[in-house]
Amino acid sequence: MNIQRKNDLMYLVLGLVIFGIVYGLMEGGMIGSFWKLNIIIICINIIMSASLNLINGYTGQFSLGHAGFMAVGCYVSVILTTNFHMPLIVGMLAGGAAAALLGCLIGLPTLRLNGDYLAIATLGLGEIIRIVIMNINYVGGAAGFTGIPHLTTFPWVFFTMLVTLFFIKNFVNSTHGRACIAIRENEIAAGAMGINTTKYKVMAFTIGAAFAGIAGALFAHCFYIINPSSFTFMASFNYLIMVVLGGLGSLTGSVAGAFVVTALSAALASWPEFRMIIYALALILLMFYRPQGLFGYVELTAFKPFRFLDRTKGGRE
Amino acid sequence: MKPLLKASHVVEMFGGLKAVSDFNVYLEQGELIGLIGPNGAGKTTAFNLFTGVYQPTSGEIEFDGQSIVGLAPYQITQRGIARTFQNIRLFSELSVLDNVKIAFHDHVKYGLLEAVLRVGRYTEEERQIERDSLELLKIFHLKDKAYETAKNLPYGAQRRLEIARALAAKPKLLLLDEPAAGMNPQETQELMEMIRWIRKEFNLTILLIEHDMSLVMGICERIYVLEYGHIIAHGTPEEIQNNPEVIRAYLGGAS
Ligand SMILES: Nc1ncnc2c1ncn2[C@@H]1O[C@H](COP(=O)(O)OP(=O)(O)OP(=O)(O)O)[C@@H](O)[C@H]1O
Ligand SMILES: [Mg+2]
């Protein structure tokens, strides 16, 4: 067994231990229903921020429409589970596939745009998706889709999150991921090294959209009713904050970002006016002291006390 | 035998400016050719035309017997032309090793699924890429800096890393845009040795732009001289050194 495999195994064991502890506490009644739901939301938001990080952080394409893909996954899955009584996994896969398809179709023309223009295009796109859904009566329009079976459980979200993190981790550590990172670093040089930059931008966008769709499916089945207003521009912005706060191009950063933002807003739920102030304050402080985000382009394992978790990097011969 | 690269009557217009006009160049397999000329003569523009960064306004460019006009830069690299940049374009936030690994991209056979599941050819190929990358770094005296961030390297080392990275794309033709710029005489001397050595070792054809005359005259078999987008002279280093047109272009004065 090589070092990489050993490392993966160690992460898996770590994941299982965390799962065991949290699940045990939940089943033992130590975690109330409010925090139980929020832990599930944290896992979903980790899927969202990690997949957005693949687009914004690793590939360097500034996308602001991630909630739109989540909405697609959400609605496709609830139609299948509620109206056609399919199991959750079918809803998740179909939701992810639909979001991926849309991501690919939209990515092809828009990813030719750079920087600010791409941000505006994706922002508009997210809004268009939401408004289209709002005008489809079959899914309840603005009033929302009701009667959704409560299928999302902690094990479902936790293991989907693990799969997502492994997928993205392995992707960015392959030639395909390196191609994406090269585009972020210097698009002209990437092209000169034989990388089809359009192809890899669209690939990152499509994979990111797919996981957002899966996250949307999991999100929908936490509630009895789902409504287009959950997927506004503010929601997309919120995911962006998690990514930036955690650190662009850092997977552990995305996990930390999603955790901090979600837990903080849950903890402050009873004081909504303070929530926004603390939120804004945290961001301003971060801009001042760590503009690169909590982790900024490196993983947790780059820091000394955690180095033992990754033995594949930085080892000289 | 057909030349490896052949540019015929190439013209490149930027608005009203003819950056390159009636440009004719051929490179035989295995040659080491120099392209010189005063600032703004159109040398870098010629490289950009050969690599698909610019499309010629008119004219024809053939590589390996096929036209490469209209191809995107990545397609031209995949056909076998790699380059370095005058204004260094490294992946500056990445490690020296990753800079080289990226350029193996087109030669990797494992697919997306193999990469994500870490099965099949993934592990073995990644190991091979790492080995080959370190081997290339060794040639350019960069092996002990493999894990440093590229932007922290001294200027001369960054230029060498650009060449190492270009070689990782496994080209037939290597285009070097002022590889010795910013190097001291000793570094330049070492670079000359390296260029000679990689040409033999990797079976390359090399076209290089350089202002350092000792380097150009020292290693090139033929030299093209460009001025205001026109080729004003072409020949062996001795012929070029004694060409009155070239002396006039370089020393200035009435024409
Ligand atoms: N993209 C562009 N748009 C407009 N003009 C350009 C462009 N690229 C180059 N030029 C012009 O074309 C001419 C040739 O430029 P080029 O960079 O090829 O010169 P060069 O021979 O490489 O010079 P140097 O020795 O300074 O590198 C210059 O006058 C330059 O200003
Ligand atoms: Mg130039």
Side-chain angles (χ1 to χ4, degrees):
Chain A
M1 206 156 67
N2 63 35
I3 300 176
Q4 255 180 357
R5 286 258 165 77
K6 267 190 202 147
N7 249 317
D8 282 355
L9 201 68
M10 195 154 60
Y11 292 136
L12 191 64
V13 169
L14 197 71
L16 289 176
V17 168
I18 294 173
F19 174 78
I21 293 172
V22 177
Y23 197 53
L25 289 174
M26 277 181 178
E27 293 297 291
M30 321 274 253
I31 295 176
S33 60
F34 174 77
W35 279 104
K36 202 171 159 184
L37 177 63
N38 273 294
I39 289 170
I40 286 177
I41 300 291
I42 286 174
C43 293
I44 291 173
N45 285 352
I46 288 174
I47 301 175
M48 289 300 287
S49 61
S51 57
L52 184 62
N53 204 349
L54 179 62
I55 302 169
N56 286 34
Y58 287 101
T59 317
Q61 305 302 305
F62 202 82
S63 168
L64 263 178
H66 218 45
F69 296 119
M70 192 186 196
V72 170
C74 171
Y75 275 88
V76 167
S77 70
V78 292
I79 291 170
L80 289 173
T81 56
T82 314
N83 296 0
F84 296 95
H85 310 290
M86 302 265 192
L88 178 62
I89 183 75
V90 175
M92 282 165 64
L93 293 176
L101 187 70
L102 191 68
C104 184
L105 288 178
I106 286 161
L108 274 169
T110 51
L111 288 167
R112 290 174 199 282
L113 303 170
N114 281 327
D116 305 345
Y117 300 105
L118 178 66
I120 292 166
T122 49
L123 188 151
L125 168 81
E127 286 298 282
I128 289 168
I129 294 174
R130 185 175 64 86
I131 290 164
V132 166
I133 292 173
M134 233 160 72
N135 287 291
I136 300 178
N137 285 329
Y138 180 69
V139 293
F145 191 106
T146 53
I148 304 165
H150 193 297
L151 298 173
T152 303
T153 58
F154 178 64
W156 267 112
V157 286
F158 190 88
F159 287 107
T160 309
M161 176 195 81
L162 267 193
V163 168
T164 308
L165 292 175
F166 266 94
F167 187 108
I168 295 176
K169 174 181 82 68
N170 289 355
F171 178 81
V172 297
N173 284 302
S174 72
T175 193
H176 313 289
R178 282 198 295 267
C180 293
I181 295 169
I183 293 169
R184 172 192 82 200
E185 287 295 310
N186 195 320
E187 200 170 333
I188 291 178
M193 293 306 124
I195 291 164
N196 182 347
T197 51
T198 308
K199 173 179 156 188
Y200 281 95
K201 282 196 249 178
V202 173
M203 189 188 281
F205 203 68
T206 305
I207 293 172
F211 281 112
I214 292 172
L218 287 168
F219 181 73
H221 294 86
C222 293
F223 308 100
Y224 175 74
I225 176 168
I226 197 80
N227 179 311
S229 65
S230 302
F231 309 105
T232 56
F233 155 68
M234 277 315 290
S236 289
F237 194 66
N238 216 22
Y239 299 122
L240 184 69
I241 287 175
M242 295 173 196
V243 172
V244 174
L245 185 103
L248 289 160
S250 164
L251 212 49
T252 30
S254 286
V255 174
F259 183 84
V260 168
V261 170
T262 319
L264 200 68
S265 60
L268 297 172
S270 359
W271 305 284
E273 53 290 334
F274 285 113
R275 200 185 119 201
M276 284 325 284
I277 293 173
I278 292 182
Y279 212 60
L281 223 60
L283 283 181
I284 291 168
L285 286 176
L286 193 78
M287 291 296 180
F288 268 112
Y289 294 106
R290 268 194 91 74
Q292 72 274 50
L294 292 173
F295 290 95
Y297 291 122
V298 295
E299 300 297 341
L300 182 68
T301 47
F303 298 100
K304 245 199 185 120
F306 300 100
R307 220 165 266 171
F308 74 94
L309 283 172
D310 186 356
R311 281 172 289 186
T312 58
K313 295 250 171 64
R316 291 173 194 215
E317 285 186 284
Chain B
M1 209 177 102
K2 272 200 147 185
L4 183 65
L5 182 88
K6 186 159 176 274
S8 330
H9 311 292
V10 172
V11 176
E12 178 68 6
M13 304 276 295
F14 292 122
L17 176 82
K18 253 190 187 171
V20 163
S21 52
D22 199 28
F23 188 71
N24 294 294
V25 162
Y26 68 90
L27 303 177
E28 300 289 353
Q29 172 72 41
E31 278 188 309
L32 206 172
I33 306 294
L35 179 61
I36 64 172
N39 289 112
K43 305 181 295 294
T44 300
T45 303
F47 270 25
N48 285 334
L49 289 166
F50 294 159
T51 54
V53 175
Y54 298 152
Q55 292 302 329
T57 310
S58 63
E60 181 57 37
I61 305 169
E62 274 179 28
F63 178 69
D64 229 357
Q66 277 178 315
S67 172
I68 54 169
V69 174
L71 295 183
Y74 80 90
Q75 292 170 314
I76 292 180
T77 308
Q78 292 177 353
R79 294 219 179 161
I81 304 182
R83 69 176 294 181
T84 66
F85 294 90
Q86 180 176 0
N87 50 340
I88 298 175
R89 285 182 189 274
L90 288 170
F91 306 119
S92 53
E93 299 289 338
L94 306 184
S95 74
V96 169
L97 180 63
D98 279 339
N99 266 271
V100 180
K101 277 183 173 183
I102 284 170
F104 279 99
H105 179 77
D106 189 46
H107 304 279
V108 173
K109 289 185 202 69
Y110 67 74
L112 185 61
L113 216 58
E114 282 168 288
V116 168
L117 299 175
R118 293 201 166 161
V119 295
R121 293 167 285 189
Y122 172 82
T123 312
E124 186 46 46
E125 266 192 82
E126 278 295 306
R127 209 177 282 151
Q128 188 67 42
I129 290 168
E130 176 136 349
R131 254 200 308 265
D132 292 351
S133 300
L134 287 169
E135 200 58 43
L136 281 172
L137 289 177
K138 196 167 150 198
I139 295 171
F140 292 93
H141 308 320
L142 291 165
K143 197 175 171 193
D144 54 332
K145 300 205 165 66
Y147 297 97
E148 276 178 39
T149 308
K151 68 172 179 195
N152 295 336
L153 291 184
Y155 203 67
Q158 292 196 15
R159 289 223 175 269
R160 295 202 304 274
L161 177 55
E162 275 223 332
I163 304 176
R165 185 179 66 170
L167 284 182
K170 303 185 184 169
K172 295 178 195 140
L173 171 63
L174 181 62
L175 307 177
L176 302 173
D177 199 344
E178 304 198 15
M183 287 188 177
N184 63 37
Q186 195 211 328
E187 281 179 310
T188 306
Q189 193 59 37
E190 280 174 16
L191 182 75
M192 259 170 82
E193 300 301 321
M194 283 175 202
I195 292 174
R196 270 205 197 102
W197 190 82
I198 57 168
R199 168 167 69 146
K200 269 230 303 277
E201 187 68 18
F202 295 93
N203 222 341
L204 287 171
T205 306
I206 297 176
L207 177 63
L208 89 132
I209 295 174
E210 194 42 74
H211 283 297
D212 188 313
M213 284 305 145
S214 65
L215 190 148
V216 178
M217 299 294 168
I219 61 173
C220 294
E221 283 130 23
R222 282 190 294 128
I223 294 170
Y224 287 94
V225 187
L226 208 56
E227 189 193 22
Y228 297 122
H230 288 276
I231 290 175
I232 56 165
H234 164 216
T236 63
E238 297 75 47
E239 286 166 0
I240 295 298
Q241 267 165 330
N242 300 321
N243 186 311
E245 270 291 292
V246 177
I247 295 168
R248 178 203 52 76
Y250 268 89
L251 299 181
S255 51

